[in-house]
Amino acid sequence: MPSTMRAVDIENGKGPISALHLTTIARPTPSASQALVKIKAFGLNRMDLLQREGHYPVPPQAPSTLGVEFSGVIEALGTSGGGPENFTIGDSVFGLAYGGAYAEYIAVSTHMLVRKPSELSWEECAGIPETWITATQALYLVSGFAQGKSVLWHAAASSVSISGIQLAKGDGAGAIFATARQDEKCEFAVKELGATAAFNTTTTDWAEEVLKATDGKGVDIIIDFIGGTYFKDNLRAIARDGVVVVLGFMGGTIVKGDVDISPILMKRVTYVGSTLRSRDEEYQRKLRDQLVEHALPKFKDGTFKVYVEKVLPWEKVQDAHRLLEENKTKGKVICTVA
């Protein structure tokens, strides 16, 4: 096996899209509890754009190479073997990593691997780990979702919200609402994903529409990727004893103007932030197990769907980043590794 491999690098360590290029680096060697996976495809995430620009805090154990989700074939195992899942060389898998997926090979803990179902393509599997595990974390571990509760997902056509809407519907949410900045994405959330209703945040008072749709009660759970610009209206739209989970700051980190924070007290609101990549391996493994037990059977029977917007060869990684930055996608952007 060669000691080097091709990988996507960033010229000078950070920069614009034009800084992305293919180069040759050392091939990783799996540690005792890791597997070496030859990558077939990797998924893009918004954190990749931020990391490329130098604006994302990378965990200390992560390699400098971008990418946290992938699919591929196990080519070697560390001295501990295939772990409790009994992975073997030649197994088709997909998985979550702290980084390094924009490459021909990745060394990753066997605790973060999942066997690839024959019903799904390499490209579909590469789009599952980060988005579906993030949605699982936000919905179940952080917000305490249970059957009958209502949920609002901001950024309806983002891959995490696409996953989360399907999870909430599959587990009997009382109502599922969504927001987006384009009518096309709102229609997608309702007609394709099964949301109860979706509201265009650029043309409507979405918080008011949520209150109307819930007879003034508001929603039990809000999953927010926007941040500062939605803080005030999240407090309007959340129900008594509701939970707002913040996963991103696409709208910035500053809350502007005079904002009445009394609903936090009067409604007994829990406003909580959460991340996934910075979590330890044991935490992520538990989420992987929940994905395998809860979601994987529904991928196999077609109940859950991985929405892939575009597949590109990794030589066109600049085009892939550009497509993601345009904010027009409805689902994953995937790169294949030849």
Side-chain angles (χ1 to χ4, degrees):
M1 189 178 292
S3 60
T4 60
M5 67 176 183
R6 290 188 301 162
V8 175
D9 194 17
I10 309 168
E11 188 176 357
N12 298 319
K14 63 179 180 180
I17 289 175
S18 59
L20 295 171
H21 64 282
L22 279 172
T23 189
T24 299
I25 64 172
R27 179 180 59 79
T29 300
S31 66
S33 60
Q34 289 184 325
L36 182 70
V37 178
K38 184 172 176 55
I39 293 177
K40 293 281 190 178
F42 59 82
L44 275 68
N45 293 280
R46 191 158 295 277
M47 74 175 79
D48 301 347
L49 309 183
L50 296 172
Q51 184 177 336
R52 189 201 74 226
E53 295 170 345
H55 301 317
Y56 192 94
V58 180
Q61 67 270 51
S64 59
T65 304
L66 297 169
V68 299
E69 58 182 353
F70 61 91
S71 61
V73 178
I74 294 178
E75 291 225 345
L77 291 166
T79 55
S80 297
E85 299 84 0
N86 294 315
F87 289 112
T88 60
I89 294 173
D91 281 349
S92 298
V93 295
F94 62 93
L96 183 68
Y98 287 108
Y102 284 29
E104 287 185 300
Y105 294 91
I106 188 169
V108 62
S109 170
T110 56
H111 294 157
M112 294 314 301
L113 294 177
V114 179
R115 285 185 171 82
K116 174 187 173 295
S118 60
E119 294 87 351
L120 297 181
S121 68
W122 294 111
E123 293 82 3
E124 288 172 318
C125 285
I128 291 174
E130 170 66 19
T131 50
W132 282 84
I133 289 178
T134 297
T136 296
Q137 176 197 26
L139 194 62
Y140 302 106
L141 267 66
V142 182
S143 70
F145 172 80
Q147 184 177 5
K149 287 192 175 184
S150 57
V151 188
L152 167 65
W153 292 85
H154 287 311
S158 71
S159 294
V160 176
S161 288
I162 288 172
S163 308
I165 290 170
Q166 292 182 78
L167 285 168
K169 182 180 179 182
D171 276 350
I176 305 168
F177 301 103
T179 69
R181 292 184 293 177
Q182 301 169 26
D183 287 339
E184 180 184 1
K185 290 183 176 181
C186 290
E187 292 173 6
F188 169 77
V190 174
K191 295 180 180 179
E192 285 287 328
L193 303 178
T196 307
F199 311 112
N200 187 325
T201 60
T202 62
T203 59
T204 65
D205 181 342
W206 64 265
E208 184 64 26
E209 293 300 322
V210 168
L211 290 171
K212 289 179 182 177
T214 57
D215 296 323
K217 176 181 179 291
V219 288
D220 298 312
I221 297 167
I222 295 176
I223 312 293
D224 178 28
F225 308 87
I226 311 303
T229 54
Y230 280 15
F231 180 81
K232 179 179 179 180
D233 284 332
N234 281 341
L235 291 182
R236 289 174 59 204
I238 195 70
R240 186 178 298 276
D241 295 314
V243 181
V244 181
V245 182
V246 180
L247 298 181
F249 299 117
M250 293 170 61
T253 60
I254 305 300
V255 178
K256 296 181 179 180
D258 295 326
V259 178
D260 179 7
I261 66 171
S262 65
I264 295 176
L265 181 64
M266 304 308 294
K267 292 184 180 182
R268 301 189 294 267
V269 174
T270 299
Y271 218 106
V272 58
S274 187
T275 59
L276 177 61
R277 192 176 182 184
S278 61
R279 303 283 189 169
D280 62 44
E281 187 178 297
E282 180 61 20
Y283 180 95
Q284 294 193 13
R285 183 192 63 78
K286 291 178 180 178
L287 284 168
R288 181 213 59 173
D289 291 348
Q290 188 168 353
L291 176 76
V292 170
E293 294 166 7
H294 185 68
L296 200 60
K298 295 182 180 180
F299 285 123
K300 292 179 179 180
D301 69 18
T303 302
F304 288 164
K305 182 178 178 181
V306 183
Y307 286 83
V308 176
E309 174 77 18
K310 187 80 171 180
V311 176
L312 294 164
W314 72 328
E315 291 86 356
K316 294 187 177 181
V317 66
Q318 290 188 9
D319 291 339
H321 270 235
R322 194 170 292 112
L323 182 61
L324 202 59
E325 282 193 347
E326 290 174 351
N327 289 325
K328 295 179 180 178
T329 56
K330 298 187 292 295
K332 297 296 296 189
V333 177
I334 303 292
C335 283
T336 54
V337 179

